Amino acid sequence: RLSSNGLVLYEKDGAIGIVTLRRPEKFNALDIPMLRALETALDAAELATDVRVVLVRGEGKGFCAGGDIEAWAAMAAADFQHQWVRYGHRVFDRLARLRQPTVAVLSGHALGGGLELAAACDLRVAERQIKLGFPETSIGVVPGWSGTQRAVRRFGTQAVRCMVLGGEVFAAPEALTLGIVDRVVETGAALEESKAWAQKIAARGPLAVEATKLMIAVAEGEEGASSTEALASGFIALTGDLKAGAEAFRTKRTPEFSRS
């Protein structure tokens, strides 16, 4: 178990890593300390070689109510841009590019930044009673953590237009038909369903799953040219050629490559 300031808890359940937002009195609204704690938890998950799937959930009645308005409303414009928007992007990108598949456990509403957080996960399991939407323009701001970029790639242009421009807030069953969530379960069942799905994923070949996730991200536009180098380097690292080259460098001899 790893807890950063008590705001985000990271723990392991076998091959499953569980990241829990812990600010229930604010419906897990995000501020800078929570973003820092979330980044720390994601780093821990990435380094855990025995963790094959990561769940992201919220404590209490909400998954995540988005960015805490009180945390950013008084910021100067430059601070809002760099400390809030750009740092939030960094943390959400960290989640989206985690090597393990990720599942958002939506047992409470996911609004604004909360839906952007869910969008950064690979899969989303929602309880029937929850609502999802992007209400930012109603208070004069725009989705700032990839609600108009990653969300469009993952949910489709029209669904995002309806939420951002049209003010639509979707119930989970409707969100399922639109592809915003992947499974809908009864109230109280999201965590159990997410763990069961995670167990099925964890039973698959871990290297194949990680490589496939990366390749899908390339096709989707989430990953770019660096992923080609990552995939190629991972392949080379498993070969005898790399071992031969490293040993030759260490012993100052000419390497004998075998293409194996």
Side-chain angles (χ1 to χ4, degrees), residues 164-244:
V164 176
L165 303 179
E168 295 287 342
V169 176
F170 295 120
E174 190 173 8
L176 179 64
T177 66
L178 293 169
I180 299 171
V181 300
D182 302 293
R183 291 186 181 181
V184 173
V185 297
E186 297 303 318
T187 300
L191 182 58
E192 181 182 358
E193 177 71 14
S194 298
K195 284 185 175 181
W197 203 358
Q199 291 287 5
K200 291 180 67 175
I201 296 169
R204 295 172 177 267
L207 292 178
V209 167
E210 290 179 26
T212 301
K213 170 175 173 169
L214 190 55
M215 289 188 290
I216 291 171
V218 171
E220 184 186 42
E222 182 69 60
E223 290 279 1
S226 63
S227 61
T228 302
E229 295 180 349
L231 286 168
S233 297
F235 165 71
I236 292 297
L238 296 174
T239 68
D241 276 2
L242 181 140
K243 296 178 178 65

Side-chain angles (χ1 to χ4, degrees), residues 26-103:
K26 285 276 192 175
F27 296 98
N28 301 310
L30 298 167
D31 58 9
I32 295 297
M34 277 196 78
L35 288 171
R36 289 184 180 133
L38 176 57
E39 188 174 32
T40 298
L42 295 173
D43 286 344
E46 182 87 50
L47 292 171
T49 56
D50 56 340
V51 169
R52 298 189 178 181
V53 186
V54 176
L55 308 186
V56 180
R57 61 184 294 265
E59 187 176 278
K61 296 181 178 180
F63 170 69
C64 178
D68 186 345
I69 296 175
E70 294 179 1
W72 58 257
M75 285 185 174
D79 291 339
F80 180 76
Q81 178 185 6
H82 290 281
Q83 294 182 25
W84 185 257
V85 177
R86 290 178 67 87
Y87 183 58
H89 261 280
R90 187 177 101 182
V91 177
F92 282 32
D93 287 350
R94 183 76 180 88
L95 173 59
R97 294 171 183 172
L98 207 66
R99 64 176 177 81
Q100 301 101 327
T102 53
V103 183

